[in-house]
Amino acid sequence: MDGRSLCSATPLIHHDHRNTWWRRHLQLKNSLSSELSGAVGDLGTFIPIVLTLTLVSNLDLSTTLIFTAFYNISTGLLFGIPMPVQPMKSIAAVAVSETPHLTPSQIATAGASTAATLLILGASGLMSTLYRILPLSVVRGVQLSQGLSFAFSAIKYIRYNQDFITSKSTSARSWLGLDGLIIALSSILFLVLSTGTGETHGHNALSRSQDPVIDDDNDPRSRGSRSSCVNKRLRILNSIPAALIVFLLGLILCFIRDPSIVKDLKFGPSKITLLKITWEDWKIGFLRAAIPQIPLSVLNSVIAVCKLSGDLFPDRELSAAKVSVSVGIMNLIGCWFGAMPVCHGAGGLAGQYRFGARSGWSVVFLGAGKLVIGLLFGNSFVRILSQFPIGILGVLLLFAGIELAMASRDMNSKEESFVMLVCAAVSLTGSSAALGFGCGILLFLLLKLRKMDYSTPSFLKLKSSVDDELSSIP
C-alpha cells in the first residue's frame, strides 16, 4: 500500500467512528412526527400518578415537572433510546392509599432510600450480576404481569369514572360527553388504524407488506402495483403522530370541559426549596414505602427495562449497572427538593416505542415540554390535569401495557412458558411483582432439579464425601 492510501485511510476510520457515535446517540432514528408521538406514549401512567400525589399528598407539581424534565433530557442524550422517567408506583400507592397519608418529606425519604439501594447495587456490580444470572422466563413473567396490570387499569379508566383521591372506580362512564366512551373508543380505533400493531413504524412491516401472499393475481406487474399502493398507504399512516394527536385532543377537551381553567392559571414556577426532613420521616418512609418499592425497582426499573431494550434495540442494549446508577442519582438529587421519586419503567419504554419513539430525542422533546410547562404555569397546571379526560389516558395506557406484555412472546419451550405464566399469575393475584418473582425463581430451580442427572461422576463423588462425613459422626 502506498503513502497516499495510508493517508486517505486514517481519516476515514476516524470519520466512521464519529458517525457511529452520532447515529447511536444523537441522530433521529425515525421521522420527527413519530418521535414526537412516541414522546407522549407513557403519559397514561405519568399523569394519573402525578395528579393523585399532587391532590392527596401535596406534591409540588412545578418542582416535579422541572426535575423530571432534566431527567428526561439527560437520560435521552446519555442512553440514546427513549428511556422513560416514570413515578415509583409502589411509593405512590402507599402514599395515597394508606392512612395516614405520607407527607412530601416521607415520600422523599422513601425515594431516596430506594435510590441509595440501587446506586449501591449498580456501582458495586451486583446489579450486573443479577442481570446475567436471572432466568429470562422469570423476567418475562414480571414483564407480562406488569403489562397486563397496566392493561387492566386502562380498561377501568375507559369503562368507569375514576376518583384518584380514593383510588377507586365510581360510576360507569356514559357513552356521550367530553369524557365519554365514544371519544375513548374513537381514539382506540384511530390509533389502531394509524399505527397497526406497532410494527408499521419500522421497515420490517413495510417489507412484509410486499409478500406475494397478499395478492391472488399471478401477474407480477399487478403484484408490484398493489404492493406499491400498500407501501404508500403505510407510509402515509406512519407519518401521522397518532398518540400526539390523541393527547392534544385531550388537552383541548380540558378547556372545553371547564373554561374557567384559563382564569385559574398563574404564570411562573413555584419556589424550589429544600425539604425539612426528620429522623421520623426517614423511618416511616423507609419502612412503609421503600421496602415494597426496592424489589419492584430492581425488577421492573432495571432488569426488565434492560431486557426490553435488548429486544427493541438489539444494537443498543442497556447496561444494568448504568440504569441502576441513573435511578439512584436522579432521586438522590431531586427528592431533597420535593420532586416525585422516579425510575425507568419497562412499561414507559414499551409505550413510547409503541407510538414511534426510536431515539433519545423523543424523551428530550418530552423533557423540553415539561420544562416549559413547569416554568410557565407552575403548580397551577394541576387545574388542567384535573380536567384531562381519563378515558383518553386509559387508551394510551392500554397500548403501553399490551406492548410490554407482548415482550413475553419469545418463550421457545413449554417449560419456559410455564415458569413465565406462573410468575405472572402470582404477581397479578398477589399484587406483588416481588412475590411473583420469588415463586418464579423457586419453580425454575425445582424444574432444573427435577431434570438433574444424579448419575454423573461429580454427583457420586459429592454423595460419597457426604456419606463419609455422616458416618464419622459418633
Side-chain angles (χ1 to χ4, degrees), residues 392-455:
I392 288 182
L393 291 179
V395 170
L396 296 175
L397 183 59
L398 175 63
F399 282 86
I402 295 300
E403 183 69 27
L404 178 57
M406 287 178 64
S408 61
R409 67 186 185 273
D410 63 348
M411 295 292 93
N412 298 319
S413 68
K414 188 173 182 179
E415 178 181 313
E416 290 180 329
S417 299
F418 180 64
V419 173
M420 176 191 70
L421 293 174
V422 170
C423 178
V426 174
S427 298
L428 288 171
T429 56
S431 300
S432 171
L435 180 61
F437 171 79
C439 291
I441 290 291
L442 178 60
L443 181 60
F444 175 82
L445 294 176
L446 287 175
L447 292 174
K448 293 299 181 184
L449 184 64
R450 178 177 177 269
K451 296 192 300 182
M452 184 178 291
D453 186 1
Y454 297 104
S455 63

Coordinates of all heavy atoms in Angstrom, one line a residue, residues 392-455:
I392 N -59.1 9.0 27.8 CA -58.0 9.1 26.8 C -56.7 8.6 27.5 O -55.9 8.0 26.8 CB -57.9 10.6 26.3 CG1 -59.0 10.9 25.4 CG2 -56.5 10.8 25.6 CD1 -59.0 12.3 24.8
L393 N -56.5 8.9 28.8 CA -55.4 8.4 29.5 C -55.4 6.9 29.5 O -54.4 6.2 29.3 CB -55.3 8.9 30.9 CG -55.0 10.4 31.1 CD1 -55.0 10.7 32.6 CD2 -53.7 10.7 30.5
G394 N -56.6 6.3 29.6 CA -56.8 4.9 29.6 C -56.4 4.3 28.3 O -55.8 3.2 28.2
V395 N -56.7 5.0 27.2 CA -56.4 4.5 25.8 C -54.8 4.4 25.7 O -54.3 3.4 25.2 CB -57.0 5.4 24.8 CG1 -56.4 5.1 23.4 CG2 -58.5 5.3 24.8
L396 N -54.1 5.5 26.1 CA -52.7 5.5 26.0 C -52.1 4.4 26.8 O -51.1 3.7 26.4 CB -52.1 6.8 26.4 CG -52.5 8.0 25.5 CD1 -52.0 9.3 26.1 CD2 -52.0 7.9 24.1
L397 N -52.6 4.2 28.0 CA -52.1 3.2 29.0 C -52.4 1.8 28.4 O -51.5 0.9 28.6 CB -52.7 3.4 30.3 CG -52.3 2.4 31.4 CD1 -50.8 2.6 31.7 CD2 -53.0 2.7 32.7
L398 N -53.5 1.6 27.8 CA -53.8 0.3 27.2 C -52.8 -0.2 26.2 O -52.3 -1.3 26.2 CB -55.2 0.3 26.6 CG -55.6 -1.0 25.8 CD1 -55.8 -2.1 26.8 CD2 -57.0 -0.7 25.1
F399 N -52.4 0.7 25.3 CA -51.4 0.3 24.2 C -50.0 0.1 24.9 O -49.3 -0.8 24.4 CB -51.4 1.4 23.2 CG -52.5 1.4 22.2 CD1 -53.7 2.0 22.5 CD2 -52.4 0.7 21.0 CE1 -54.8 2.0 21.6 CE2 -53.5 0.6 20.1 CZ -54.7 1.3 20.4
A400 N -49.7 0.9 25.9 CA -48.4 0.7 26.5 C -48.4 -0.6 27.2 O -47.4 -1.4 27.2 CB -48.2 1.8 27.5
G401 N -49.4 -1.0 27.9 CA -49.5 -2.3 28.6 C -49.4 -3.5 27.7 O -48.7 -4.4 28.0
I402 N -50.2 -3.4 26.6 CA -50.1 -4.5 25.6 C -48.8 -4.7 25.0 O -48.3 -5.8 24.8 CB -51.2 -4.3 24.5 CG1 -52.6 -4.3 25.2 CG2 -51.1 -5.4 23.5 CD1 -53.0 -5.6 25.9
E403 N -48.1 -3.6 24.7 CA -46.8 -3.6 24.1 C -45.8 -4.3 25.1 O -45.0 -5.1 24.7 CB -46.3 -2.2 23.7 CG -44.9 -2.2 23.0 CD -45.0 -2.8 21.6 OE1 -46.0 -2.8 21.0 OE2 -43.9 -3.2 21.2
L404 N -45.9 -3.9 26.3 CA -45.0 -4.5 27.3 C -45.3 -6.0 27.5 O -44.4 -6.8 27.6 CB -45.1 -3.8 28.7 CG -44.3 -4.4 29.8 CD1 -42.8 -4.4 29.5 CD2 -44.6 -3.6 31.1
A405 N -46.5 -6.4 27.5 CA -46.9 -7.8 27.7 C -46.4 -8.6 26.5 O -46.0 -9.8 26.6 CB -48.4 -7.9 27.9
M406 N -46.4 -8.0 25.3 CA -46.0 -8.8 24.1 C -44.6 -9.1 24.1 O -44.1 -9.9 23.3 CB -46.4 -7.9 22.9 CG -47.9 -7.9 22.6 SD -48.4 -6.9 21.1 CE -47.6 -7.8 19.8
A407 N -43.8 -8.5 24.9 CA -42.3 -8.8 25.0 C -42.1 -10.2 25.4 O -41.1 -10.8 25.2 CB -41.6 -7.9 26.0
S408 N -43.1 -10.9 26.1 CA -43.0 -12.2 26.6 C -43.3 -13.3 25.5 O -43.3 -14.5 25.8 CB -44.0 -12.4 27.8 OG -45.3 -12.2 27.4
R409 N -43.5 -12.9 24.3 CA -43.9 -13.9 23.3 C -42.7 -14.7 22.7 O -42.9 -15.5 21.9 CB -44.5 -13.1 22.1 CG -43.6 -12.2 21.3 CD -44.4 -11.4 20.2 NE -43.5 -10.6 19.4 CZ -43.1 -9.4 19.7 NH1 -43.4 -8.9 20.8 NH2 -42.3 -8.7 18.8
D410 N -41.5 -14.5 23.3 CA -40.3 -15.2 22.7 C -39.9 -16.4 23.5 O -38.9 -17.0 23.3 CB -39.1 -14.2 22.7 CG -38.7 -13.7 24.1 OD1 -39.5 -14.0 25.0 OD2 -37.6 -13.2 24.2
M411 N -40.8 -16.9 24.4 CA -40.5 -18.1 25.1 C -40.6 -19.3 24.1 O -41.6 -19.5 23.4 CB -41.5 -18.4 26.2 CG -41.5 -17.3 27.3 SD -39.9 -17.4 28.3 CE -38.9 -16.2 27.5
N412 N -39.5 -20.1 24.0 CA -39.3 -21.1 23.0 C -39.7 -22.5 23.4 O -39.7 -23.4 22.6 CB -37.9 -21.1 22.5 CG -37.5 -19.8 21.9 OD1 -38.3 -19.2 21.1 ND2 -36.3 -19.3 22.1
S413 N -40.0 -22.7 24.7 CA -40.3 -24.1 25.2 C -41.5 -24.0 26.1 O -41.8 -23.0 26.7 CB -39.1 -24.7 25.8 OG -38.8 -24.0 27.1
K414 N -42.1 -25.2 26.3 CA -43.2 -25.2 27.3 C -42.8 -24.9 28.7 O -43.5 -24.3 29.5 CB -43.9 -26.6 27.2 CG -45.2 -26.7 28.0 CD -45.9 -28.0 27.7 CE -47.2 -28.1 28.4 NZ -47.9 -29.4 28.2
E415 N -41.6 -25.4 29.0 CA -41.0 -25.2 30.4 C -40.9 -23.7 30.6 O -41.3 -23.2 31.7 CB -39.7 -25.9 30.5 CG -39.1 -25.6 31.9 CD -37.7 -26.3 32.0 OE1 -37.6 -27.5 31.7 OE2 -36.8 -25.7 32.5
E416 N -40.3 -22.9 29.7 CA -40.1 -21.5 29.8 C -41.5 -20.8 30.0 O -41.7 -19.9 30.8 CB -39.3 -20.9 28.7 CG -37.9 -21.3 28.6 CD -37.2 -20.8 27.5 OE1 -37.8 -20.6 26.4 OE2 -36.0 -20.5 27.6
S417 N -42.4 -21.2 29.1 CA -43.8 -20.6 29.2 C -44.5 -20.9 30.5 O -45.1 -20.0 31.1 CB -44.6 -21.1 28.0 OG -44.0 -20.8 26.8
F418 N -44.3 -22.1 31.0 CA -44.9 -22.5 32.3 C -44.4 -21.6 33.4 O -45.1 -21.1 34.2 CB -44.5 -24.0 32.5 CG -45.1 -24.5 33.8 CD1 -46.5 -24.6 34.0 CD2 -44.3 -24.9 34.8 CE1 -47.0 -25.0 35.2 CE2 -44.8 -25.4 36.0 CZ -46.2 -25.5 36.2
V419 N -43.0 -21.4 33.5 CA -42.5 -20.6 34.5 C -42.9 -19.2 34.4 O -43.3 -18.5 35.4 CB -40.9 -20.7 34.5 CG1 -40.3 -19.7 35.5 CG2 -40.4 -22.1 34.8
M420 N -42.9 -18.6 33.2 CA -43.4 -17.3 32.9 C -44.8 -17.1 33.4 O -45.1 -16.1 34.1 CB -43.2 -16.9 31.4 CG -43.7 -15.6 31.1 SD -43.8 -15.3 29.3 CE -45.2 -16.4 28.9
L421 N -45.7 -18.0 33.0 CA -47.1 -17.8 33.3 C -47.4 -17.9 34.8 O -48.3 -17.2 35.3 CB -48.0 -18.8 32.5 CG -47.9 -18.6 31.0 CD1 -48.7 -19.7 30.2 CD2 -48.6 -17.2 30.6
V422 N -46.7 -18.8 35.5 CA -46.9 -18.9 36.9 C -46.4 -17.7 37.6 O -47.1 -17.1 38.5 CB -46.2 -20.2 37.5 CG1 -46.2 -20.2 39.0 CG2 -46.9 -21.5 37.0
C423 N -45.3 -17.2 37.2 CA -44.7 -16.0 37.8 C -45.7 -14.8 37.5 O -46.0 -14.0 38.5 CB -43.4 -15.6 37.1 SG -42.6 -14.1 37.7
A424 N -46.3 -14.7 36.3 CA -47.2 -13.6 36.0 C -48.5 -13.7 36.8 O -49.0 -12.8 37.3 CB -47.5 -13.6 34.5
A425 N -49.0 -15.0 36.9 CA -50.3 -15.2 37.7 C -50.1 -14.8 39.1 O -51.0 -14.2 39.7 CB -50.7 -16.7 37.5
V426 N -49.0 -15.2 39.7 CA -48.8 -14.9 41.2 C -48.6 -13.4 41.4 O -49.2 -12.8 42.3 CB -47.6 -15.7 41.7 CG1 -47.3 -15.2 43.2 CG2 -47.8 -17.2 41.7
S427 N -47.9 -12.8 40.4 CA -47.7 -11.3 40.5 C -49.0 -10.6 40.4 O -49.3 -9.6 41.2 CB -46.8 -10.9 39.4 OG -45.5 -11.4 39.5
L428 N -49.9 -11.0 39.6 CA -51.2 -10.3 39.4 C -52.2 -10.6 40.5 O -52.8 -9.7 41.0 CB -51.8 -10.8 38.1 CG -51.2 -10.3 36.8 CD1 -51.8 -11.0 35.6 CD2 -51.3 -8.8 36.7
T429 N -52.3 -11.8 41.0 CA -53.2 -12.1 42.0 C -52.7 -11.7 43.4 O -53.5 -11.4 44.3 CB -53.6 -13.6 42.1 OG1 -52.3 -14.4 42.2 CG2 -54.3 -14.1 40.8
G430 N -51.4 -11.7 43.6 CA -50.8 -11.3 44.8 C -50.5 -9.9 44.9 O -50.1 -9.3 45.9
S431 N -50.7 -9.1 43.8 CA -50.5 -7.7 43.7 C -49.0 -7.4 44.1 O -48.8 -6.3 44.7 CB -51.5 -6.9 44.5 OG -52.8 -7.1 44.1
S432 N -48.1 -8.3 43.8 CA -46.7 -8.0 44.2 C -45.8 -8.7 43.1 O -45.8 -9.9 43.0 CB -46.4 -8.6 45.5 OG -45.1 -8.6 45.8
A433 N -45.0 -7.9 42.4 CA -44.1 -8.4 41.5 C -43.0 -9.2 42.2 O -42.4 -10.2 41.7 CB -43.4 -7.3 40.7
A434 N -42.6 -8.8 43.4 CA -41.6 -9.5 44.2 C -42.1 -10.9 44.6 O -41.3 -11.8 44.5 CB -41.3 -8.7 45.5
L435 N -43.3 -11.0 44.9 CA -43.9 -12.4 45.3 C -43.9 -13.3 44.0 O -43.5 -14.4 44.1 CB -45.3 -12.2 45.8 CG -46.0 -13.5 46.2 CD1 -45.2 -14.3 47.3 CD2 -47.4 -13.2 46.7
G436 N -44.3 -12.7 42.9 CA -44.3 -13.5 41.7 C -42.9 -13.9 41.3 O -42.6 -15.0 40.8
F437 N -42.0 -12.9 41.4 CA -40.6 -13.2 41.1 C -40.0 -14.3 42.0 O -39.4 -15.2 41.5 CB -39.7 -11.9 41.3 CG -38.3 -12.1 41.2 CD1 -37.7 -12.2 40.0 CD2 -37.5 -12.2 42.4 CE1 -36.3 -12.4 39.9 CE2 -36.1 -12.4 42.3 CZ -35.5 -12.5 41.0
G438 N -40.3 -14.3 43.3 CA -39.8 -15.4 44.2 C -40.4 -16.7 43.8 O -39.6 -17.7 43.8
C439 N -41.7 -16.8 43.5 CA -42.3 -18.0 43.1 C -41.7 -18.5 41.7 O -41.5 -19.7 41.5 CB -43.8 -17.9 42.9 SG -44.6 -17.6 44.5
G440 N -41.4 -17.6 40.8 CA -40.9 -18.0 39.5 C -39.5 -18.5 39.7 O -39.1 -19.5 39.0
I441 N -38.6 -17.9 40.5 CA -37.3 -18.4 40.8 C -37.3 -19.8 41.4 O -36.6 -20.8 41.0 CB -36.5 -17.5 41.7 CG1 -36.2 -16.2 40.9 CG2 -35.2 -18.2 42.2 CD1 -35.1 -16.4 39.8
L442 N -38.2 -20.0 42.4 CA -38.4 -21.3 43.0 C -38.8 -22.4 42.0 O -38.3 -23.5 42.0 CB -39.4 -21.2 44.2 CG -39.7 -22.5 45.0 CD1 -38.4 -23.1 45.6 CD2 -40.7 -22.3 46.0
L443 N -39.8 -22.1 41.2 CA -40.3 -23.0 40.2 C -39.2 -23.3 39.2 O -39.0 -24.5 38.8 CB -41.5 -22.4 39.5 CG -42.2 -23.3 38.4 CD1 -42.7 -24.6 39.1 CD2 -43.3 -22.5 37.8
F444 N -38.4 -22.4 38.8 CA -37.3 -22.6 37.8 C -36.3 -23.5 38.4 O -35.8 -24.5 37.7 CB -36.7 -21.2 37.5 CG -35.5 -21.3 36.6 CD1 -35.6 -21.5 35.3 CD2 -34.2 -21.3 37.2 CE1 -34.4 -21.5 34.4 CE2 -33.1 -21.4 36.4 CZ -33.2 -21.5 35.0
L445 N -35.9 -23.3 39.7 CA -35.0 -24.2 40.3 C -35.5 -25.6 40.5 O -34.8 -26.6 40.3 CB -34.5 -23.6 41.7 CG -33.8 -22.3 41.6 CD1 -33.5 -21.8 43.0 CD2 -32.5 -22.5 40.9
L446 N -36.8 -25.8 40.9 CA -37.4 -27.1 41.0 C -37.4 -27.9 39.7 O -37.1 -29.1 39.7 CB -38.8 -27.0 41.5 CG -38.9 -26.6 43.0 CD1 -40.4 -26.3 43.4 CD2 -38.3 -27.6 43.9
L447 N -37.7 -27.2 38.6 CA -37.7 -27.9 37.3 C -36.3 -28.3 36.9 O -36.1 -29.3 36.3 CB -38.3 -26.9 36.3 CG -39.8 -26.7 36.4 CD1 -40.2 -25.6 35.4 CD2 -40.6 -27.9 36.2
K448 N -35.3 -27.4 37.2 CA -33.9 -27.8 36.9 C -33.4 -29.0 37.8 O -32.7 -29.9 37.3 CB -32.9 -26.6 37.1 CG -33.2 -25.5 36.2 CD -32.9 -25.9 34.7 CE -33.1 -24.8 33.8 NZ -32.9 -25.2 32.3
L449 N -33.9 -29.0 39.1 CA -33.5 -30.1 40.0 C -34.2 -31.4 39.5 O -33.6 -32.5 39.6 CB -34.0 -29.7 41.4 CG -33.6 -30.7 42.5 CD1 -32.1 -30.8 42.7 CD2 -34.3 -30.3 43.8
R450 N -35.3 -31.3 39.0 CA -36.1 -32.5 38.5 C -35.3 -33.1 37.3 O -35.3 -34.4 37.2 CB -37.5 -32.1 38.1 CG -38.3 -33.2 37.5 CD -39.7 -32.7 37.2 NE -40.6 -33.7 36.6 CZ -40.7 -33.9 35.3 NH1 -40.0 -33.1 34.5 NH2 -41.4 -34.9 34.8
K451 N -34.7 -32.4 36.5 CA -34.0 -32.9 35.3 C -32.5 -33.1 35.5 O -31.8 -33.5 34.6 CB -34.2 -31.9 34.1 CG -35.7 -31.8 33.7 CD -35.8 -31.1 32.4 CE -35.2 -29.7 32.4 NZ -35.3 -29.0 31.1
M452 N -32.0 -32.9 36.7 CA -30.6 -33.1 37.0 C -30.2 -34.5 36.9 O -31.0 -35.4 37.4 CB -30.3 -32.5 38.4 CG -28.8 -32.5 38.7 SD -28.4 -31.8 40.4 CE -28.8 -30.1 40.0
D453 N -29.1 -34.8 36.4 CA -28.6 -36.2 36.2 C -27.8 -36.5 37.4 O -26.6 -36.1 37.6 CB -27.7 -36.2 34.9 CG -27.2 -37.7 34.6 OD1 -27.6 -38.6 35.4 OD2 -26.5 -37.8 33.6
Y454 N -28.3 -37.4 38.3 CA -27.7 -37.7 39.5 C -26.7 -38.9 39.4 O -26.1 -39.3 40.3 CB -28.8 -38.2 40.5 CG -29.7 -37.1 40.9 CD1 -31.0 -37.1 40.4 CD2 -29.3 -36.1 41.8 CE1 -31.9 -36.0 40.7 CE2 -30.2 -35.0 42.1 CZ -31.5 -35.0 41.5 OH -32.4 -34.0 41.9
S455 N -26.5 -39.4 38.2 CA -25.6 -40.5 37.9 C -24.2 -40.0 37.5 O -23.3 -40.8 37.2 CB -26.1 -41.5 36.9 OG -26.3 -40.8 35.7

